């Protein structure tokens, strides 16, 4: 499946906590054009329910516990983001759903492109059509 779990470099400052960071191109395999984050979400809420045609993203959870369900049209896999130094790099063509397993968990995303509503596939049957016709750029 077109995703990769990567360790985010983390410096432990002992009693004063930890600092995590990544840099475009060498730590994540694309240039970053946009950052967004989802917050204020109640426990067990679900978001997502779409795929992207060409967008690449890295997802990470600096606080809390969020399950990411990825579907490539043939199978589904579930990844738990429960550690601020765990990064999930997602390529195009994956249907995703996100489930909040802890109130106020924060989902941060760094993306390869500016926001473009035309890059979204929001209907699952249309997504399957794209997959079967090989129309995902990836
Ligand atoms: P959406 O990607 O559908 O969120 P989720 O997958 O978490 O449910 O985005 C929600 C709304 O925010 C939608 O109206 C599009 C808008 N939006 C932007 O305007 N810019 C952005 O960078 C993003 C990610 C979303």
């Amino acid at each position: 499946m077109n995703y990769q779990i990567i360790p985010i470099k983390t410096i432990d400052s002992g009693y004063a906590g930890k600092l995590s960071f990544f840099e475009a191109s060498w730590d994540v395999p694309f240039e970053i054009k946009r950052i967004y984050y989802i917050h204020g979400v109640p426990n067990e809420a679900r978001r997502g329910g779409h795929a992207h045609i060409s967008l690449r993203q890295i997802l990470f959870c600096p606080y809390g516990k969020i399950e990411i369900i990825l579907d490539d049209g043939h199978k589904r896999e579930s990844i738990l983001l429960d550690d601020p130094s765990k990064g999930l790099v997602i390529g195009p063509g994956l249907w995703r759903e996100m489930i909040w397993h802890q109130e106020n968990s924060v989902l941060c995303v760094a993306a390869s492109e500016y926001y473009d509503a035309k890059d979204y596939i929001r209907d699952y049957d249309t997504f399957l059509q794209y997959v079967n016709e090989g129309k995902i750029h990836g």
Side-chain angles (χ1 to χ4, degrees), residues 13-28:
S13 309
Y15 73 94
K18 294 175 186 169
L19 182 152
S20 298
F21 65 94
F22 54 84
E23 295 178 318
S25 297
W26 32 85
D27 293 322
V28 295

Side-chain angles (χ1 to χ4, degrees), residues 10 23 29 31 48 53 73 85-86 88 120 136:
T10 297
E23 295 178 318
E31 289 296 333
I53 298 168
S85 48
K86 188 171 179 181
L88 173 61
Y120 279 75
I136 304 281

Side-chain angles (χ1 to χ4, degrees), residues 22-38:
F22 54 84
E23 295 178 318
S25 297
W26 32 85
D27 293 322
V28 295
F30 51 84
E31 289 296 333
I32 294 165
K33 287 199 179 144
R34 175 166 54 108
I35 291 177
Y36 62 92
Y37 42 99
I38 301 172

